[in-house]
Amino acid sequence: MPTTLHSDIEYLKGVGRARGEMYRRLGIESPYDLIYHIPRSYLDYRTHVPIAQAELGQYNVLKLTVTHKLPPQRIRGGLVICKAGATDGIDDILIVVYNNVYAFQALKENSTYYMYGKVMGNFLRKEISSPTYIKEEESVLIQPIYPLTQGLSVNMVRTNMRQALSIMHSEPFETLPPQILQKYGLCPLMTALEDIHFPRSEESAEEARRRLAFDELLKLQLGMSMMKRRSRKETAYSMDSSVDVSEFTGGLPFELTDDQQKAVGEIVADLCRAVPMNRLLQGDVGSGKTAVAAAACYFAAKNGIQSALMAPTEILAAQHHRTLADFLEPFGVRVCLLTGSMTAKKKAATREKIAEGQFDVIVGTHAIIQKDVEYRSLGLVITDEQHRFGVAQRAALAEKGESPHKLVMSATPIPRTLALMIYGDLDISAITQLPKGRRPIKTYAVTGKLRHRAFGFVRDRLAEGRQAYVVCPMIEETESELHAVRTYAENAAKEDLKGCTTALLHGKMRAAEKDKVMKRFRDGEIQVLICTTVVEVGVDVPNAAVMVIENAERFGLSQLHQLRGRVGRGEYESSCILITDNTSEECVRRMKIMSSTTDGFKISEEDLKMRGPGDFFGSAQHGLPPLKIADIACNMELMNRAQTCARELLEEDPELSKPEHTPLKMDVLRLFNKDIIG
Ligand code: ADP
Ligand code: MG
C-alpha cells in the first residue's frame, strides 16, 4: 500500500521509531500533520555581509570559502572542537564547530558556503561559532526555521518534508472554492503548503503564510458562528418581563450610568427570551460591571430562578459575595458563597441549601461548577473576568442548568474586531464611561533613585486618611521570589513606611489568611497593602488612593492597567507611581503610555500594536482552539477579511452543507475537535 497523507509518520523514508517519537512530541503523527508544521520564520542567506562588517557578539550571515581544515581537538569531558580557516576574499575568519564532527566533515576545502552563526573576537581576529550553512550553489537562499525538538534537525525535517509534499501532490486537495480564492486574492492551498516550506522567493513565502493564516482565521470564525447559532436553537427559561428591575436599580446608593442602564436593559431583554443569552459585558476597570450583574441576578431571583457567579480567585469571590449581598439582601434576595477552601461541613450545608432553593444567588470560584453541586433552578450563569476561564469551564457550568442564560464580564478592553474573534459566539454590551465624579488617576514613572521621595508622597496621602497598595512583581511564585517580597515588606516596614501599619498579601497564603488581610485592609485597619499581582483583578477598596508598582518593567501594558485600576475607584484623587530602572526603548514607551492615558481601550490598542495580535491568541487565556499560523502571521486587516468571508459563506450556506464546502466544514470540525454543528 502506498504511503498516504494520513499514514503513520513512520512510513516516511528515514523515519523509524525514534524519529517518529520526536515528531509525535511535536504533535505530528502523519505526513499531513508534517506539511502543516509551519516554519517559525526564515533565515535569509542573501543578507550576507563582508567579514569586516560583521557585528561582533551577534548572529551574522557570511559568505565564506573554506581554506584549510584543522584536525579535531579533544578536550576534557569528551568534548570535540573542530576548526577551519576561511576567507571572504578580503579578510580571514576561523570557523569553530563544537561537538559536531558530522557537521564539520561535510565542509569541503575550497568550497564556498553561506554561513549563519554568532561572530566573536576583535578587530584583528574573528571566529564564527557552530554556524548553520548551505552551499553557494543552492538555488533558494531562504531556509525555514522550524520548531524542533531534541535530536531532530532542520535537515531531517527538510528531507521528510520533501517526501510528504510529493505525496500531497499525488492526492490534490483544496479547502476553499475558487471564487473565494479570487475574491480575497489568495493562492491555491497546495502552492501555499509547498512555498511555506520551500519558498521560491521571499514574496512566495509571504503569500503562502497569508493564505494559511487566512484559512485558520476563517475556520475560527466559522466555528464560532456555528456555535453561536447552535446555542440559539437551545431553549432557556424565558423570564417574565413584568418584573420591574428598576425597583432594584432605583434603590442603589448611586445612579447607574447610561451605559450601565443600557446593559441592564439588554440583559433583561435577553433573559425574557427562550433562547439562552450569550452575552459579553465588557467594561474598563472600575466601570461598574458588578452592579449590572447584580441587577441581572435580581431579575432572575424575582422570577424564581437561581444565578451563579463565578470569579477567578477566592479573594474576588469573597468580595463579590459581600457586594452582592449588600446590594441584594435588602430586596429579599438570598446570596451565598461557596469556595474550595471552606470546611467540608460548611460546604455540605451550603450545597444542601442550594439544592433546596434556599439561596437565589451562588457566588464562588470554580468550586461551584463541580459535579457535587446541585441546583434547584439554575437559569443564569455569570463569569467574571472571563478571559481567565477557558471554554471548557464555561461549558461545564452550562451543564448545570438546562440551558442557562450566560453572561461573561471582562475588563480587558480589546478592540472590537479582536473581541469578535475571541468571543465570536457572544453578543456584546459595552460600558464605555466611568461613573460620575471619578477623577483620572495621575500616573508617574520614576527611577529607583526617587523611591524615597515617592514614599514620602505615599506617607502624605496616608496622613490624609487614604490607603495604599505597593505591588511587587512575583512572576513565578517561587520560594525565592516569595522571599524577595517578604524581605521587601520587612525593610519597608522598617524604613520608608516606618510607623505605618502594613501587611503582606500574596497568592501562596491560605485563603482564610488572605480573607483576613483583605478584610482588615477594607476596614481601614491596614494602611498599606504590600502585595503581589493577587490584587490584579477586581479588588475594590475605594479608600485606597495610591499605588506604587515596583519593577514596573516586568509587567505588560494591559496588566499595568489592570493593577492601576485598583485605585481611583472612589471620590478621592488617586495616583500611581511606577518605579523602574529599566531604560530600554520598549519599557520607556510603556511607561510613557501609562503616564499619558487611563483609557483602557487606548492602552490595549497600544499593547496590541507593540505585541501584535498573535500574543492574544498565544496567551491561552481565552480557551480557543490553538492557532498555529495566524498566531505568527496575522494582522488586523487579515482578520477583518476572514471575518467578512465567514459571514458571506454562512449567509449563502448556513450549515456549510453544500458539496463545495465539505472540505472546509471538515476542517472546522477538526479545529474545534467536537461536534459544534447541528
Ligand atoms: P468593575 O467594572 O471594575 O468590576 P466594580 O463593579 O467593582 O467595577 O465597580 C467599581 C466601583 O464603582 C464600586 O465601588 C461600585 O460600587 C462603584 N459604582 C458602580 N457603578 C457606579 C455608579 N453608577 N456610580 C457611582 N459608583 C458606581
Ligand atoms: Mg470587577
Side-chain angles (χ1 to χ4, degrees):
M1 213 175 69
T3 307
T4 71
L5 277 180
H6 294 284
S7 301
D8 194 290
I9 188 78
E10 289 181 22
Y11 281 88
L12 289 181
K13 286 190 202 99
V15 184
R17 281 284 291 281
R19 201 186 293 179
E21 200 40 57
M22 291 169 198
Y23 276 127
R24 273 186 288 274
R25 226 175 295 149
L26 294 168
I28 299 166
E29 309 201 346
S30 63
Y32 179 85
D33 294 338
L34 184 62
I35 58 179
Y36 271 98
H37 189 55
I38 304 303
R40 226 173 335 119
S41 55
Y42 296 90
L43 181 54
D44 186 348
Y45 285 103
R46 291 168 308 176
T47 59
H48 63 93
V49 292
I51 294 173
Q53 282 172 31
E55 265 187 77
L56 296 181
Q58 301 294 326
Y59 282 83
N60 292 268
V61 179
L62 306 176
K63 188 177 179 182
L64 300 175
T65 306
V66 178
T67 48
H68 56 287
K69 290 170 76 172
L70 300 168
Q73 288 169 268
R74 283 185 192 279
I75 58 168
R76 62 193 157 72
L79 228 69
V80 184
I81 301 180
C82 302
K83 293 181 179 172
T87 176
D88 64 357
I90 302 165
D91 294 300
D92 294 336
I93 193 166
L94 198 63
I95 301 169
V96 184
V97 177
Y98 294 94
N99 242 8
N100 192 344
V101 179
Y102 178 79
F104 187 72
Q105 273 164 358
L107 288 175
K108 300 277 173 276
E109 282 181 6
N110 299 319
S111 293
T112 303
Y113 303 88
Y114 293 100
M115 298 199 164
Y116 172 76
K118 202 176 197 169
V119 177
M120 308 292 283
N122 53 40
F123 177 68
L124 292 171
R125 221 180 135 270
K126 291 183 181 127
E127 61 179 56
I128 181 165
S129 58
S130 294
T132 56
Y133 58 87
I134 57 173
K135 290 201 196 100
E136 181 190 25
E137 47 290 359
E138 199 80 45
S139 59
V140 177
L141 298 180
I142 314 173
Q143 213 185 50
I145 299 171
Y146 289 103
L148 295 171
T149 183
Q150 181 78 44
L152 196 66
S153 74
V154 181
N155 285 335
M156 294 176 195
V157 175
R158 280 168 73 81
T159 313
N160 299 143
M161 193 69 78
R162 282 209 198 275
Q163 194 194 348
L165 287 171
S166 78
I167 299 170
M168 173 186 83
H169 287 294
S170 66
E171 304 172 38
F173 59 90
E174 172 58 75
T175 49
L176 297 180
Q179 59 291 7
I180 289 187
L181 294 187
Q182 203 185 356
K183 175 161 182 194
Y184 292 93
L186 301 167
C187 67
L189 182 53
M190 295 206 302
T191 311
L193 287 167
E194 182 83 40
D195 284 349
I196 198 104
H197 299 295
F198 297 102
R200 289 163 293 155
S201 63
E202 209 174 343
E203 293 71 37
S204 75
E206 198 41 52
E207 273 303 291
R209 196 172 285 279
R210 207 174 87 85
R211 160 71 209 251
L212 297 174
F214 184 90
D215 274 20
E216 213 168 40
L217 294 169
L218 177 67
K219 284 180 236 167
L220 179 69
Q221 273 304 289
L222 289 170
M224 294 297 238
S225 309
M226 286 165 137
M227 278 209 285
K228 184 172 181 172
R229 204 183 356 253
R230 188 186 62 170
S231 71
R232 291 247 155 94
K233 286 190 201 148
E234 294 167 3
T235 55
Y237 185 89
S238 72
M239 302 188 194
D240 180 356
S241 60
S242 69
V243 169
D244 186 4
V245 75
S246 70
E247 278 178 16
F248 170 74
T249 53
L252 285 171
F254 42 76
E255 204 181 316
L256 289 187
T257 61
D258 291 349
D259 280 350
Q260 281 174 312
Q261 201 82 53
K262 183 158 166 262
V264 171
E266 287 167 342
I267 291 164
V268 165
D270 282 356
L271 294 178
C272 295
R273 300 192 319 159
V275 284
M277 168 167 76
N278 225 338
R279 186 169 286 279
L280 171 69
L281 177 60
Q282 197 185 56
D284 206 348
V285 274
S287 62
K289 295 183 288 294
T290 319
V292 173
C297 294
Y298 171 88
F299 189 77
K302 293 296 164 186
N303 270 279
I305 296 295
Q306 285 175 311
S307 308
L309 192 151
M310 186 157 69
T313 63
E314 296 225 351
I315 292 183
L316 204 52
Q319 178 186 286
H320 275 321
H321 170 244
R322 211 187 37 256
T323 312
L324 290 189
D326 284 353
F327 280 160
L328 291 166
E329 282 179 349
F331 296 90
V333 176
R334 298 153 305 175
V335 187
C336 73
L337 178 68
L338 183 65
T339 64
S341 67
M342 281 161 55
T343 62
K345 205 168 140 201
K346 186 105 192 280
K347 264 192 273 195
T350 308
R351 278 202 299 266
E352 199 174 307
K353 288 189 178 166
I354 294 170
E356 285 167 3
Q358 292 190 44
F359 287 119
D360 306 298
V361 181
I362 297 88
V363 183
T365 53
H366 58 275
I368 59 175
I369 63 167
Q370 265 144 31
K371 282 208 176 59
D372 54 358
V373 186
E374 211 181 290
Y375 292 83
R376 186 184 164 87
S377 62
L378 181 62
L380 170 62
V381 164
I382 304 174
T383 56
D384 191 16
E385 309 296 348
Q386 107 90 21
H387 60 290
R388 307 234 148 185
F389 287 110
V391 168
Q393 272 159 311
R394 268 201 268 156
L397 192 44
E399 276 168 22
K400 292 281 165 197
E402 287 288 283
S403 281
H405 295 287
K406 294 182 278 300
L407 179 68
V408 296
M409 306 196 284
S410 173
T412 313
I414 41 184
R416 192 172 173 79
T417 333
L418 207 55
L420 282 172
M421 274 289 169
I422 295 177
Y423 306 108
D425 58 334
L426 306 174
D427 297 310
I428 298 180
S429 293
I431 309 181
T432 56
Q433 56 198 176
L434 293 180
K436 270 202 285 284
R438 288 282 170 78
R439 297 200 242 169
I441 306 162
K442 295 208 170 111
T443 303
Y444 313 90
V446 302
T447 62
K449 278 202 200 107
L450 292 178
R451 177 176 290 106
H452 193 63
R453 266 176 64 187
F455 275 99
F457 174 81
V458 172
R459 281 195 308 272
D460 289 347
R461 302 306 315 272
L462 297 179
E464 290 163 24
R466 302 290 76 73
Q467 287 163 284
Y469 297 97
V470 176
V471 181
C472 303
M474 200 166 85
I475 308 298
E476 292 176 30
E477 303 239 335
T478 56
E479 222 11 78
S480 64
E481 289 198 331
L482 206 57
H483 179 72
V485 177
R486 281 200 203 104
T487 316
Y488 179 93
E490 279 162 24
N491 290 343
K494 270 186 263 163
E495 291 159 25
D496 277 326
L497 293 171
K498 193 162 174 219
C500 311
T501 42
T502 64
L504 186 61
L505 184 74
H506 59 78
K508 284 281 155 75
M509 281 160 62
R510 288 207 327 272
E513 271 178 277
K514 278 191 257 184
D515 273 355
K516 213 160 79 194
V517 172
M518 275 317 293
K519 181 169 184 314
R520 290 179 54 216
F521 187 58
R522 200 159 37 240
D523 293 346
E525 289 167 29
I526 295 169
Q527 291 175 289
V528 186
L529 196 62
I530 299 175
C531 50
T532 61
T533 50
V534 283
V535 298
E536 179 188 345
V537 281
V539 171
D540 185 36
V541 179
N543 190 48
V546 199
M547 173 173 281
V548 176
I549 302 182
E550 290 280 358
N551 288 98
E553 75 280 356
R554 295 182 70 178
F555 298 104
L557 273 178
S558 295
Q559 206 179 7
L560 286 172
H561 179 65
Q562 280 291 325
L563 282 169
R564 181 172 61 179
R566 299 310 115 218
V567 296
R569 299 173 82 82
E571 64 207 273
Y572 308 108
E573 171 147 302
S574 297
S575 333
C576 176
I577 304 169
L578 307 168
I579 303 185
T580 176
D581 288 318
N582 186 309
T583 51
S584 73
E585 197 181 320
E586 213 218 291
C587 178
V588 170
R589 189 152 165 232
R590 256 185 283 157
M591 297 306 130
K592 269 208 187 116
I593 294 165
M594 286 304 293
S595 324
S596 64
T597 181
T598 51
D599 179 335
F601 277 88
K602 253 193 218 144
I603 288 175
S604 82
E605 245 155 53
E606 289 294 335
D607 206 15
L608 200 62
K609 261 191 242 157
M610 288 172 75
R611 299 194 299 169
D615 228 59
F616 276 89
F617 290 118
S619 67
Q621 282 188 340
H622 44 66
L624 286 176
L627 302 186
K628 287 200 261 177
I629 308 146
D631 192 17
I632 315 163
C634 79
N635 55 50
M636 293 308 259
E637 197 240 50
L638 197 65
M639 276 204 271
N640 285 329
R641 292 168 72 88
Q643 216 166 351
T644 313
C645 181
R647 205 165 44 235
E648 288 168 358
L649 268 168
L650 291 177
E651 256 163 41
E652 181 205 327
D653 182 11
E655 304 285 336
L656 293 183
S657 49
K658 293 189 179 168
E660 67 267 32
H661 296 148
T662 306
L664 190 56
K665 181 168 173 171
M666 300 302 291
D667 264 12
V668 172
L669 292 177
R670 205 175 356 234
L671 182 65
F672 279 75
N673 208 8
K674 63 179 174 219
D675 185 12
I676 51 161
I677 303 166

